[in-house]
Amino acid sequence: MSEPNPYKSEDYEWGPGGQPGTPGQPAYGYPHTPAYQPTLPEGVPVPPQHMPGPPQGAGAPLLSLGDITVVGDQIITPAGPMPLKGAVWNAMDMSRTEEKMPTVAIVLAVIFFIFCLLGLLFLLMKEKQTTGFIQVTVTSGGRHHATMIPARGPDTIHWVMGQLNYARSLSM
């Protein structure tokens, strides 16, 4: 491996012609550009940003589910307004409620088992925990929007379905 390359030609050198990084000469075929961009004295104007909201004179919101709001005869979503008339509302329960024995119950059962057999009653303690989301979708005017509402308890789906039935009655 210490022998010179037998295929090397005398007139060809690999790489750029000059020293890289020399001022005034391009390095690796790129033109020389300054490392900074000059700033404008007056600054760059920022276009005004406004959030889509209910039109003026629409009144107070009748219903709000997640980021879906019903105002007047429109459904306001982050994607834009939709007509309320003829809207199709759906909900899907993607939550679950788990029932488990807390760690405190196991510790108390072991401690009180030594003293009397009543310590086994601590094993009857249960703890319910609800996790997940309820997905609410609305389709109207050729548009579709979905939002996720966190399930705080096992009765969250009943509250959402009540709101959804009210929205359906408004859509007729």
Side-chain angles (χ1 to χ4, degrees):
M1 295 307 281
S2 62
E3 297 175 13
N5 186 357
Y7 303 108
K8 179 180 176 187
S9 106
E10 299 296 328
D11 57 322
Y12 176 74
E13 283 292 319
W14 183 84
Q19 292 289 336
T22 307
Q25 288 187 340
Y28 295 105
Y30 293 105
H32 177 70
T33 57
Y36 65 92
Q37 295 292 329
T39 58
L40 298 173
E42 65 275 352
V44 179
V46 177
Q49 297 179 358
H50 63 282
M51 296 296 294
Q56 296 296 329
L62 300 173
L63 171 76
S64 181
L65 280 170
D67 57 0
I68 300 172
T69 306
V70 176
V71 178
D73 62 344
Q74 287 189 335
I75 303 168
I76 308 297
T77 64
M82 294 187 235
L84 180 62
K85 186 81 171 165
V88 178
W89 298 84
N90 289 317
M92 183 185 308
D93 187 8
M94 296 188 290
S95 65
R96 67 173 192 242
T97 302
E98 297 175 344
E99 190 173 291
K100 66 177 188 170
M101 189 179 323
T103 309
V104 172
I106 297 171
V107 171
L108 290 174
V110 170
I111 291 173
F112 284 102
F113 178 74
I114 297 169
F115 298 114
C116 62
L117 293 177
L118 292 177
L120 295 176
L121 291 176
F122 285 109
L123 295 177
L124 296 176
M125 290 174 58
K126 299 291 181 193
E127 178 180 72
K128 288 185 179 181
Q129 183 178 14
T130 302
T131 58
F133 294 90
I134 298 163
Q135 181 182 25
V136 175
T137 60
V138 60
T139 305
S140 179
R143 288 185 167 180
H144 177 81
H145 183 73
T147 187
M148 304 288 269
I149 299 171
R152 301 285 181 213
D155 58 338
T156 305
I157 183 67
H158 302 296
W159 175 80
V160 169
M161 289 307 293
Q163 296 291 315
L164 206 66
N165 287 332
Y166 178 60
R168 287 176 180 156
S169 70
L170 292 174
S171 296
M172 291 184 179

